[in-house]
């Protein structure tokens, strides 16, 4: 595709509900990252995939957060039993290479509001 | 762990003037990359400029340039001839090779006409 696509753009969830956020990276991009951006803050790293392998999940805040990229392209970030502190913008980024030598392309994010 | 500090929560500048946004970082790495990203209200994170730590020459992209002081761990962004479209949140970010970005808290820049 032309850019990184994320859906939905907005999601309102009741506390305790499960949600799934989708990221469609640029075709052929090897690396995919998820970030969480709280209101008025900088994005914080959640997890990183190289193709289908999840190489780093050190930023996931709890075991309620789960990410997958089963075929090395589309990725889904799942949050179980959502809580109010999960309210944030979730950004996805992809890069064409395995190294940090190329630009990361970001999607427009999904704004999650837990009520 | 790496940290990135942006000490200016908000900045204002008159159209056509120059403004400098500050950024400092802390790392024990020798090889890494530094970035400035722009995030307008649309939330789309847009790369403004990047700097490889092994390069002594400061990066420049049209009206945007950086002052990279490796020993001082400082990486400021200068925007010349500011335009209304430059109004956005600006994030300084650090990355060691092949890995995740570590962002600062951001600086809101408002360009006034």
């Amino acid at each position: 595709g032309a850019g990184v696509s994320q859906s939905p753009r907005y999601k309102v969830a009741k506390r305790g509900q499960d949600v799934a956020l989708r990221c469609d990276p640029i075709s052929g991009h090897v690396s995919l990252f998820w970030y969480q951006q709280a209101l008025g803050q900088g994005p914080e790293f959640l997890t990183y995939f190289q193709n289908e392998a999840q190489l780093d999940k050190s930023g996931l805040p709890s075991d309620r957060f789960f990410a997958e990229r089963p075929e090395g392209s589309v990725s889904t970030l799942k949050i179980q039993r959502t809580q109010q502190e999960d309210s944030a913008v979730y950004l996805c980024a992809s890069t064409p290479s395995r190294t940090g030598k190329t630009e990361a392309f970001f999607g427009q994010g999904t704004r999650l509001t837990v009520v | 762990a790496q940290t990135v500090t942006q000490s200016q929560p908000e900045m204002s500048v008159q159209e056509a003037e120059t403004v400098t946004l500050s950024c400092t970082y802390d790392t024990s790495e020798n090889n890494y990359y530094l970035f400035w990203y722009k995030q307008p209200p649309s939330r789309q994170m847009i790369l403004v400029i990047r700097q490889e730590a092994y390069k002594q020459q400061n990066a420049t992209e049209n009206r945007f340039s950086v002052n990279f002081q490796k020993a001082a761990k400082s990486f400021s962004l200068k925007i010349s001839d500011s335009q209304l479209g430059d109004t956005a949140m600006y994030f300084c970010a650090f990355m060691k090779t092949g890995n995740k970005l570590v962002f600062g808290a951001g600086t809101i820049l408002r360009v006034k006409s």
Side-chain angles (χ1 to χ4, degrees), chain A residues 35 37 100-101 106 108-109, chain B residues 33 39 42-44 95 98 101:
Chain A
Y35 294 87
Q37 185 177 19
K101 294 184 179 180
F106 282 82
Q108 288 188 290
Chain B
Y33 299 83
Q39 188 179 43
S42 68
R43 300 200 304 261
Q44 184 81 52
M95 182 176 64
L101 288 161

Side-chain angles (χ1 to χ4, degrees), chain A residues 9-10 33 35 37 40-43 45 48 56 58 89 91 98-104 106-109 111, chain B residues 33 35 37 39 41-47 50 52 89 91 95-106:
Chain A
R9 284 215 62 195
Y10 301 91
F33 300 80
Y35 294 87
Q37 185 177 19
Q41 300 295 317
F45 170 79
Y48 159 54
D56 187 346
S58 63
V89 173
L91 295 169
R98 293 174 176 79
T99 72
K101 294 184 179 180
T102 57
E103 175 184 351
F106 282 82
Q108 288 188 290
R111 181 182 296 281
Chain B
Y33 299 83
F35 305 85
Y37 280 90
Q39 188 179 43
S42 68
R43 300 200 304 261
Q44 184 81 52
M45 197 74 79
I46 301 164
L47 179 66
R50 62 181 282 152
E52 290 90 340
M89 185 79 138
F91 291 100
M95 182 176 64
K96 62 179 184 178
T97 304
N99 216 308
K100 60 201 176 195
L101 288 161
V102 177
F103 289 88

